[in-house]
Amino acid sequence: MILHIDCNTFYASCEVALRPDLQGKPVAVANCNEAGGGIILALTKEAKALGLKRGDPVFKVQDILNLHNVAVFPANLQKYVDISRRLMQVVREQGLVLNFKQYSVDEFFGELPLTDVSELRETAATIKRHIEQCTGVPVSCGVSLSYTLGKVATWYAKHYKGYNGVCVLPADKIETALAKLPIEDVWGIGRQSAAKLQCHNIRTALNLYNMQEYEVRRMLHINGVRTWLELHGTPSVDIDAPVKQKSISHSRTFTYMTDSLETLRSYIAEYSVAAARKLRDQHSVCLSVSVFLSTNRFRDDLEQYGNYATTKLNVASADTSILTTAALKALKEIYRPHFQYKKAGVILSDITTDEAIQLDLFESNPEHMRKSERLMAVIDELTTKYGMDTIKLGVQTLQHPQPNLTNFQPLKNQTTNINDIIEVK
């Protein structure tokens, strides 16, 4: 049986996990900006009960945030990735789930070698408790015959309190479950496909389930057929072979503008480390490292500047130190003093597999490359277990600019710095 694990209000739950004193209180995560605004990205159930919604501009709901003392955290994606990796580790250490793998930052799939419904429910509940005790992040679990049906089961686990966060969907209950699931909530059915199906009076997952295969193929093509097969309990989705990215980028819009080269160096180093890890995760290497800088185009009162530079490597690599050095070289080429920079990023391109690396005849040292690979493997193992900030390059010591309070007002309810890290004990 397929197990699906979905983290509840993941970003907000991560912040609460690191601040236990906020348990049971309204918490929001927003992509804060220097003007004290931004968009709400995640909310705890207590915050949702106040009428707040994802996508709300912060300035429009500021009165609600102040009135109810809602804790607003700036989004920190690296922190959430660290917690996601920690979750994977604690499940694997438990040893109850086979072929456990990550589908997204807050979703995971695995297999349970059981058939009895009671055993499945008890095992999934045990896994859920273990995750919540070890990470502090609440999760919902669904178990069924395929990936899509596993997500259907999780939908029920999240929407109906009686399941206590765990739902097992056996074969004889599939049609009953699909009858209450809106077609737009079926995994694999996008917004346009849902609208097309609704025009043909196909409004629930059961309506899709009852269609003939040739009808599904005509309307939704091969991907729709895969979803249809999955709803019938036939695993047809391949999540084991993700497409390798042809370019990898890591960029951020800064909380506060900065003209400091040292601050920009620390940002670029941080982004290079994150991009290098993505590169190694897909077993690739790259030959080109690019960096871009830009000022705030919405500030007409400030001088505008933007630029882009690329450093070419002699030998393709995924070594963090090599890629960071190349990125800092590109940054030095495009940096101009006295501009207020708002955004920067690192882009890795000319990506190839790490299985066969073309060496440079005069400069390559195979033994040095092997040492580099072993070092990166150890670092990845440690950062997966203890968090991305366990091992850092010296240049990653962030020196964040502070707001000029004569020009703008930061979020009144901001309770944590954007660069807070996970403490693993």
Side-chain angles (χ1 to χ4, degrees), residues 141-144 148-158 166-169:
C141 300
V143 182
S144 195
T148 302
L149 288 175
K151 286 179 72 75
V152 171
T154 303
W155 186 88
Y156 276 92
K158 296 184 79 167
V166 176
C167 176
V168 178
L169 182 57

Side-chain angles (χ1 to χ4, degrees), residues 48-96:
K48 292 176 182 177
L50 301 175
L52 298 171
K53 298 178 181 178
R54 286 180 58 189
D56 282 344
V58 172
F59 77 92
K60 285 189 175 182
V61 295
Q62 191 67 59
D63 289 343
I64 298 176
L65 298 175
N66 292 338
L67 178 63
H68 298 281
N69 197 30
V70 179
V72 181
F73 290 81
N76 186 336
L77 297 182
Q78 192 56 62
K79 179 196 300 183
Y80 310 144
V81 169
D82 286 346
I83 294 179
S84 178
R85 287 175 175 154
R86 172 63 178 157
L87 188 152
M88 288 193 68
Q89 179 194 352
V90 300
V91 172
R92 285 173 172 164
E93 287 176 349
Q94 198 176 14
L96 298 177

Side-chain angles (χ1 to χ4, degrees), residues 303-315:
E303 288 187 89
Q304 298 296 308
Y305 172 74
N307 211 339
Y308 179 99
T310 300
T311 301
K312 292 282 188 178
L313 304 178
N314 292 328
V315 178

Side-chain angles (χ1 to χ4, degrees), residues 197-307:
L197 291 168
Q198 288 166 350
C199 288
H200 290 80
N201 205 33
I202 300 167
R203 303 187 179 280
T204 68
L206 183 61
N207 295 147
L208 176 61
Y209 175 91
N210 287 330
M211 291 175 67
Q212 297 297 314
E213 182 177 345
Y214 75 89
E215 296 177 304
V216 178
R217 186 179 296 274
R218 187 181 71 245
M219 293 181 65
L220 304 177
H221 309 295
I222 186 61
N223 288 333
V225 172
R226 291 194 182 105
T227 298
W228 180 82
L229 289 170
E230 288 259 328
L231 292 177
H232 282 80
T234 303
S236 305
V237 176
D238 183 10
I239 66 171
D240 292 318
V243 178
K244 289 188 176 182
Q245 294 177 253
K246 295 181 180 180
S247 67
I248 292 174
S249 64
H250 198 93
S251 63
R252 289 289 182 272
T253 299
F254 308 147
T255 304
Y256 305 117
M257 294 182 292
T258 181
D259 61 356
S260 166
L261 176 59
E262 286 307 307
T263 298
L264 291 171
R265 280 171 54 83
S266 64
Y267 278 128
I268 292 301
E270 184 179 1
Y271 304 160
S272 300
V273 170
R277 176 60 190 265
K278 289 182 183 178
L279 189 66
R280 292 194 295 275
D281 283 347
Q282 69 171 32
H283 302 289
S284 299
V285 292
C286 76
L287 272 169
S288 298
V289 182
S290 303
V291 170
F292 68 86
L293 279 177
S294 65
T295 53
N296 189 345
R297 61 189 177 92
F298 297 106
R299 290 291 298 269
D300 296 333
D301 57 321
L302 298 175
E303 288 187 89
Q304 298 296 308
Y305 172 74
N307 211 339

